[in-house]
Amino acid sequence: MSETFEPVDAHDRDLAVNATGLLRTFNLAGVLTTADVHVATNLGRVTGERDEAVLLAVALAVRAVRHGSVCLDLPAVPATLPDLDVPWPEPSAWTDAVSSSRVVASGAVHLEHGLVYLDRYHEQETQVLHDLRDRSRVAHAVDTSLLDRSLARVFPSAESDEQREACRRAATQATTVVTGGPGTGKTTAVAGLLAVLVEQAEARGQTLRIALAAPTGKAAARLEQSVRDSATRFGGADQARLADVGAMTLHRLLRQHPGNSTRFRHHRGNRLPHDLVVVDEASMVSLTMMARLLEAVRPEARLVLVGDPDQLSSVDAGAVLTDLVRGYEHRPDSPVAALTTAHRYGEDIGRLAEALRLGDADAAVAALRAGGVAVEWVPEGDPASTIRSAVLPHALAVQDAAVAGDAQRALAALDRHRLLCAHRDGPFGVRHWNRRIEQWFTVETGVSVHDAAYLGRPVLVSSNDYSLGIYNGDTGVVVAGAAGPRAAIATGVGHLELAPSRLGEVDTMHAMTIHKSQGSQADEITVLLPDEESRLLTRELFYTAVTRAQRKVRVIGSESAVRAAIARQALRASGLRARLSDG
């Protein structure tokens, strides 16, 4: 909530020309935008509400949603903008005014426990709460002796105790939340659960209808591939049980209505047919999408939400996975199964990731200074030389495979390194570094990057194209083909090759934003931190970047930037956590 803007001049588009009173004051201070003011003004006009303090609360609630919160924490709002010289209403009088206001009486705005909601988000949060409570009353009967044998078979190692217990719980309850950091075996647990539940259905002479989904195409592809990779550890019968399992985006699962991003063909009146629905990367699921998912899943179907609550939340309003984990943590009937043992990377990265997760700045700095084989820290100097030496060899390896027409080798080379930035623009942004890297690339190879289909160009898909089977977040490389350049796009089971001209919205991907990197991983990660004043620099952002690495992470940024990131949490106002805690 702390972000403000500085008006460029009197004609700045974020300045509401006709705003008056408190709305004008907070607009001129850079707190409210034109859109915030207009929503509050129009709602006041429709309901007959004239109290300036009430309209300010409405405008701030609109602003809160823009910044990812579901509601406005009214008593806490002044503390989020401590440096502004603006006339904040007295807290208790402000709450009383909103409580007795016409906007609340009309039902357009809700006030609950000091939280101000726009009606849409109050309805969605309430629906999620009620659906979860209804689902908690559903129990699933299983053949316990068969379940014990199945779990012992798919998880024979003593190191798999956490996965085994998570599967046992998911087999017997309607909703399960499987959490853990990267490399803790969440997807292995999912694969084991699928094998176990398919066997249970076979024993009853039934077929288990399974849906695997994730918020983005890239995350769905990774889920499908990870489940298949995990299944290779199982015996032949269990591998066969998972042979035909595929994954898709949540939008595709729910079948989005054309032209409406929040309404779907599957809903409370037309439920999904599946007996088991697994959603990976659930931290990226917004409140709106979670509401749509819960109303579409049959009450008797199992729902498994998988994710890391310490990662970045959805770009839209809500932090549902975090709310579920924190809201259930002290309840004996909690559906949360936490996996805590990391298997992906060694103790160097693990030590840094844990310090970030816990918010321990001293431990994080110590882990960075200690370095080791897997952690490198570049706290000072121009980042260009470090980035050039880190990125260019990988870019040349990608190009070498692309020129040879070896798409599989080019894609494998692409996944060996990622340069991650917090920003899209500016000196720390993706666009700046993509241009710099392409300049270095041209000097080394003589290849002109002005042709969008230059061989070796790494691409990032930024919109879904269901007809082609490519999705927002997919990555690929332009490679040589028999009839000219081809775009090789990685999928969950191999890759697609198509003419570059058939691609819709794509960006060059020598560098990518940390937000876009969610749901992916690379052997080596280079993280470029912005300066400590950046409003995007948060603990969750830093943690997400570091935990994309499988073997090595390189952090470029000052100690002050590291400490600023850890000190700043991306807190989102929501009532779901408290309402779950109340039982």
Side-chain angles (χ1 to χ4, degrees):
M1 269 292 288
S2 63
E3 297 89 346
T4 59
F5 70 92
E6 292 187 13
V8 175
D9 53 36
H11 303 288
D12 192 307
R13 66 179 182 179
D14 281 325
L15 291 180
V17 177
N18 297 321
T20 60
L22 286 175
L23 292 179
R24 177 174 175 79
T25 301
F26 278 76
N27 181 222
L28 291 174
V31 178
L32 302 176
T33 65
T34 303
D36 305 330
V37 172
H38 284 175
V39 171
T41 302
N42 289 335
L43 191 55
R45 184 181 300 117
V46 169
T47 62
E49 181 59 62
R50 297 181 178 179
D51 189 318
E52 290 184 15
V54 172
L55 296 181
L56 174 62
V58 173
L60 288 170
V62 177
R63 178 184 186 272
V65 170
R66 281 197 296 106
H67 289 291
S69 291
V70 170
C71 54
L72 174 72
D73 188 344
L74 197 62
V77 138
T80 66
L81 297 162
D83 300 325
L84 285 181
D85 183 18
V86 289
W88 291 105
E90 194 279 323
S92 60
W94 198 8
T95 301
D96 290 343
V98 174
S99 178
S100 59
S101 68
R102 293 189 177 190
V103 293
V104 168
S106 72
V109 172
H110 298 262
L111 179 67
E112 192 168 321
H113 304 302
L115 302 175
V116 180
Y117 294 83
L118 302 179
D119 179 59
R120 170 185 172 183
Y121 294 97
H122 185 267
E123 179 186 9
Q124 289 175 357
E125 185 177 281
T126 302
Q127 181 209 309
V128 166
L129 184 70
H130 288 169
D131 283 343
L132 287 172
R133 284 177 175 168
D134 289 345
R135 293 182 59 80
S136 69
R137 301 185 182 102
V138 177
H140 285 270
V142 295
D143 182 331
T144 54
S145 61
L146 176 60
L147 179 64
D148 290 341
R149 293 195 302 273
S150 302
L151 290 172
R153 183 182 68 249
V154 297
F155 297 117
S157 170
E159 297 177 353
S160 301
D161 287 348
E162 290 179 337
Q163 286 96 331
R164 197 180 300 115
E165 179 57 26
C167 289
R168 187 182 303 279
R169 296 179 64 178
T172 56
Q173 57 195 28
T175 306
T176 306
V177 183
V178 179
T179 69
T184 53
K186 298 189 296 295
T187 310
T188 301
V190 169
L193 175 66
L194 299 183
V196 164
L197 291 182
V198 168
E199 188 174 22
Q200 288 276 328
E202 289 173 348
R204 296 191 300 269
Q206 299 172 345
T207 299
L208 188 73
R209 294 166 294 184
I210 299 170
L212 301 183
T216 68
K218 183 66 174 178
R222 266 205 61 230
L223 171 62
E224 181 175 332
Q225 185 62 52
S226 297
V227 168
R228 291 177 186 271
D229 290 345
S230 295
T232 60
R233 307 172 193 171
F234 303 156
D238 289 318
Q239 287 186 44
R241 290 182 175 111
L242 305 186
D244 297 325
V245 173
M248 66 186 77
T249 64
L250 275 172
H251 282 79
R252 195 167 193 183
L253 173 67
L254 299 178
R255 297 182 62 200
Q256 184 176 344
H257 272 293
N260 190 325
S261 62
T262 61
R263 288 293 171 185
F264 299 89
R265 298 187 190 279
H266 286 292
H267 46 71
R268 208 173 298 278
N270 181 30
R271 306 272 194 172
L272 289 165
H274 306 93
D275 306 303
L276 171 65
V277 177
V278 179
V279 179
D280 196 17
E281 298 292 346
S283 65
M284 300 167 65
V285 179
S286 68
L287 175 66
T288 299
M289 182 57 81
M290 188 62 74
R292 298 289 86 86
L293 173 67
L294 284 170
E295 72 175 11
V297 176
R298 291 185 297 121
E300 66 273 20
R302 293 179 177 89
L303 174 64
V304 181
L305 303 174
V306 184
D308 184 348
D310 297 302
Q311 283 188 25
L312 287 166
S313 299
S314 164
V315 294
D316 296 318
V320 182
L321 182 68
T322 301
D323 286 339
L324 295 181
V325 173
R326 307 293 179 246
Y328 279 122
E329 62 185 348
H330 298 302
R331 287 179 51 173
D333 61 341
S334 170
V336 178
L339 307 182
T340 60
T341 305
H343 306 286
R344 176 191 293 176
Y345 37 62
E347 63 179 23
D348 294 337
I349 298 178
R351 189 184 307 114
L352 175 59
E354 183 66 4
L356 295 176
R357 189 184 71 81
L358 297 175
D360 189 335
D362 291 338
V365 170
L368 287 168
R369 283 179 177 154
V373 175
V375 174
E376 178 184 345
W377 186 24
V378 184
E380 298 175 348
D382 182 0
S385 61
T386 300
I387 290 175
R388 189 182 194 281
S389 61
V391 174
L392 195 54
H394 294 285
L396 295 176
V398 170
Q399 196 238 4
D400 180 67
V403 170
D406 191 336
Q408 216 39 51
R409 181 159 63 92
L411 291 169
L414 185 66
D415 281 341
R416 292 195 187 104
H417 181 268
R418 288 279 191 278
L419 170 60
L420 303 183
C421 306
H423 294 260
R424 287 188 60 82
D425 300 301
F428 299 99
V430 164
R431 287 175 178 161
H432 171 79
W433 288 104
N434 271 325
R435 287 194 299 268
R436 291 288 298 274
I437 295 164
E438 285 191 323
Q439 290 169 359
W440 298 330
F441 180 81
T442 297
V443 170
E444 289 288 327
T445 64
V447 172
S448 171
V449 297
H450 297 297
D451 180 358
Y454 71 84
L455 298 182
R457 182 194 179 198
V459 294
L460 175 67
V461 178
S462 55
S463 64
N464 295 330
D465 189 328
Y466 294 111
S467 64
L468 294 178
I470 59 176
Y471 308 102
N472 184 14
D474 283 353
T475 57
V477 180
V478 178
V479 302
R486 305 285 290 172
I489 307 296
T491 67
V493 285
H495 68 276
L496 295 173
E497 288 192 28
L498 59 159
S501 60
R502 297 188 66 192
L503 294 175
E505 299 177 32
V506 296
D507 299 311
T508 299
M509 198 197 69
H510 290 294
M512 70 188 303
T513 63
I514 297 170
H515 275 87
K516 283 283 190 181
S517 74
Q518 281 189 276
S520 66
Q521 59 191 40
D523 289 349
E524 182 180 327
I525 292 290
T526 297
V527 185
L528 177 62
L529 296 181
D531 62 48
E532 61 266 31
E533 300 301 321
S534 169
R535 64 181 180 84
L536 295 181
L537 189 59
T538 64
R539 184 189 307 174
E540 292 81 2
L541 187 88
F542 196 3
Y543 172 84
T544 299
V546 166
T547 54
R548 298 309 89 207
Q550 293 182 283
R551 297 179 182 173
K552 180 175 181 177
V553 63
R554 178 184 296 104
V555 176
I556 303 174
S558 66
E559 181 175 339
S560 60
V562 169
R563 291 185 178 275
I566 295 169
R568 188 183 295 128
Q569 281 191 275
L571 298 176
R572 295 187 168 191
S574 161
L576 183 59
R577 185 180 310 189
R579 295 167 81 178
L580 284 170
S581 299
D582 292 340

